[in-house]
Amino acid sequence: MVSKPTAVTYRIFSSGYCTAHDWIVDPKNGRGKARFYATWLLLEHPREGLYLFDTGYSARFLEAARHFPDTFYGWATPTFIKEEETAVYQLAQLGIRPSDLSGMIISHFHADHAAGMLDFPEIPIICHPAALEQVLSVNGVGAVRHGIVKALIPRDLKERVRRVDDNHPEGFGRVDAGESFSLQFMDLFGDGSVELVHLPGHARGQLGLRIHTADHTLFFATDAAWRKSTLEAGTLPNPVVRLFFDDWKAYKTTFAALQAYSKTFPAHRLIFTHCPQTMDFID
Ligand SMILES: [Zn+2]
C-alpha cells in the first residue's frame, strides 16, 4: 500500500560557477561566454531529516586544478568560487553542521556537483551504482576525461555509499506516459515524497531528483539539459560535448524524454543545475 506523501520541503542554493562558450550550450543562438552556476539543494523530510543533493564547487577544486592532470579541467572550465559561497559555509550560516545531515545524494561525480563532498565527512552517500563503479575505477587523465577530479572524492566513498539498489530491491521502476516517454524513478524513502530519477547520457549513472511538496512537484533534472529554454526549443548542445559525455545516444533519448515530460506535466517545476532560470528559485 502506498502511504500519502508527507510534507517534504527543499531549498535551492548555488556555490560558484564556471564559464564556457555559449555556442556549446546553444549552437543556434549562442554568443560569447556563458556562466554555469553550480546549484544544489537541501531537502528536509519530516521523518528522514536533512539531505544534501549535490554540493556545488568548493575552493578545493581550485587547489586541485593546479596539479597535473587536473590542470586540464581548470583550463577547460575557468572556475570562480569564494569560501563564503561553499555549501558547508552557507549551511553553517543557517546553523546546520555537516553532522546534522542524514546523508548526501550525489547526482554524478563531475567536479561542479561533487567538489564539496570532503566538507561532509562520515555521513552516508547515495549515488547510482553505475556512477560509483566508474568513479572507483578511473584515475589520472582517465578520470579527468570523464569530468572527475579524484582529489575531491572521499577515500572512504565505497564504505559510506548506501547503494540504492541494495536498499530498494525493486530498483528503479519505469514510468511511462503513453507512447511519449519512459523514465526510471525510484521511491527514496518509501512514502512517495522523494524519487531518484535515472537520467543516463551526460554522465554514467546520472541521477535527478523529483520532490512532491505540499503544493507543487519539483523535478531537478541536473545536467540532462543545461537550459530549460534549449530543452523547450529542442536544441541539443554542440556535439563537441561528446568528448566528455558518457553516452551521446542515451543523452538524446533522455533529452527527448524530458521534452515529453515537460509537455505532459507542464505544472511541474522542471529545473536544471546550470540553467540561469534555476537561479530565480534561490532566496
Ligand atoms: Zn555534469
Side-chain angles (χ1 to χ4, degrees):
M1 201 183 103
V2 181
S3 55
K4 256 186 128 175
T6 45
V8 66
T9 58
Y10 68 87
R11 190 167 158 182
I12 298 170
F13 299 80
S14 167
S15 293
Y17 65 90
C18 72
T19 59
H21 293 288
D22 205 32
W23 55 259
I24 294 174
V25 184
D26 187 351
K28 286 190 183 142
N29 307 304
R31 276 176 194 81
K33 292 263 181 161
R35 279 188 184 188
F36 282 62
Y37 290 98
T39 61
W40 51 276
L41 189 145
L42 179 69
L43 177 73
E44 183 162 18
H45 185 279
R47 186 188 68 226
E48 302 289 337
L50 296 167
Y51 273 82
L52 211 56
F53 181 76
D54 283 346
T55 70
Y57 280 112
S58 76
R60 218 176 275 110
F61 173 81
L62 304 177
E63 174 57 30
R66 286 200 197 107
H67 305 286
F68 181 84
D70 302 324
T71 334
F72 293 124
Y73 207 135
W75 286 340
T77 57
T79 301
F80 304 88
I81 172 78
K82 297 185 193 123
E83 201 61 49
E84 61 269 26
E85 293 167 343
T86 59
V88 71
Y89 189 98
Q90 292 191 67
L91 291 181
Q93 295 299 104
L94 299 172
I96 301 168
R97 295 162 301 178
S99 58
D100 294 332
L101 300 171
S102 302
M104 69 178 145
I105 306 159
I106 300 296
S107 67
H108 61 298
F109 290 95
H110 285 170
D112 46 343
H113 299 255
M117 286 183 84
L118 291 174
D119 290 325
F120 301 92
E122 290 168 21
I123 59 170
I125 296 163
I126 293 171
C127 64
H128 192 280
L132 177 68
E133 194 191 336
Q134 184 187 52
V135 74
L136 293 176
S137 64
V138 293
N139 280 299
V141 177
V144 175
R145 202 188 94 59
H146 292 289
I148 295 166
V149 176
K150 286 296 280 239
L152 303 173
I153 306 297
R155 286 173 190 271
D156 59 355
L157 173 67
K158 200 176 172 187
E159 290 72 47
R160 286 164 58 197
V161 162
R162 272 175 45 197
R163 286 182 60 133
V164 286
D165 55 348
D166 287 350
N167 280 345
H168 299 263
E170 74 277 19
F172 284 81
R174 269 166 80 100
V175 170
D176 299 295
E179 296 293 300
S180 61
F181 74 91
S182 172
L183 287 166
Q184 289 186 309
F185 289 81
M186 200 203 70
D187 185 357
L188 184 59
F189 301 132
D191 62 0
S193 63
V194 179
E195 295 155 297
L196 302 176
V197 194
H198 188 207
L199 301 169
H202 168 76
R204 189 82 49 91
Q206 179 179 245
L207 292 177
L209 190 69
R210 190 165 71 161
I211 305 169
H212 304 283
T213 73
D215 60 48
H216 70 278
T217 294
L218 176 94
F219 187 173
F220 191 2
T222 52
D223 288 10
W226 280 327
R227 277 186 204 147
K228 184 93 180 274
S229 58
T230 51
L231 181 89
E232 283 166 350
T235 307
L236 288 160
N238 189 289
V240 72
V241 301
R242 280 189 264 193
L243 284 172
F244 75 95
F245 273 24
D246 183 54
D247 181 339
W248 180 243
K249 197 170 160 232
Y251 179 83
K252 289 198 286 186
T253 304
T254 299
F255 191 89
L258 288 173
Q259 283 185 291
Y261 183 98
S262 180
K263 286 195 186 107
T264 310
F265 301 108
H268 290 191
R269 194 176 284 178
L270 177 61
I271 63 166
F272 300 94
T273 303
H274 307 296
C275 177
Q277 287 180 31
T278 302
M279 297 299 283
D280 296 342
F281 295 111
I282 295 175
D283 300 322

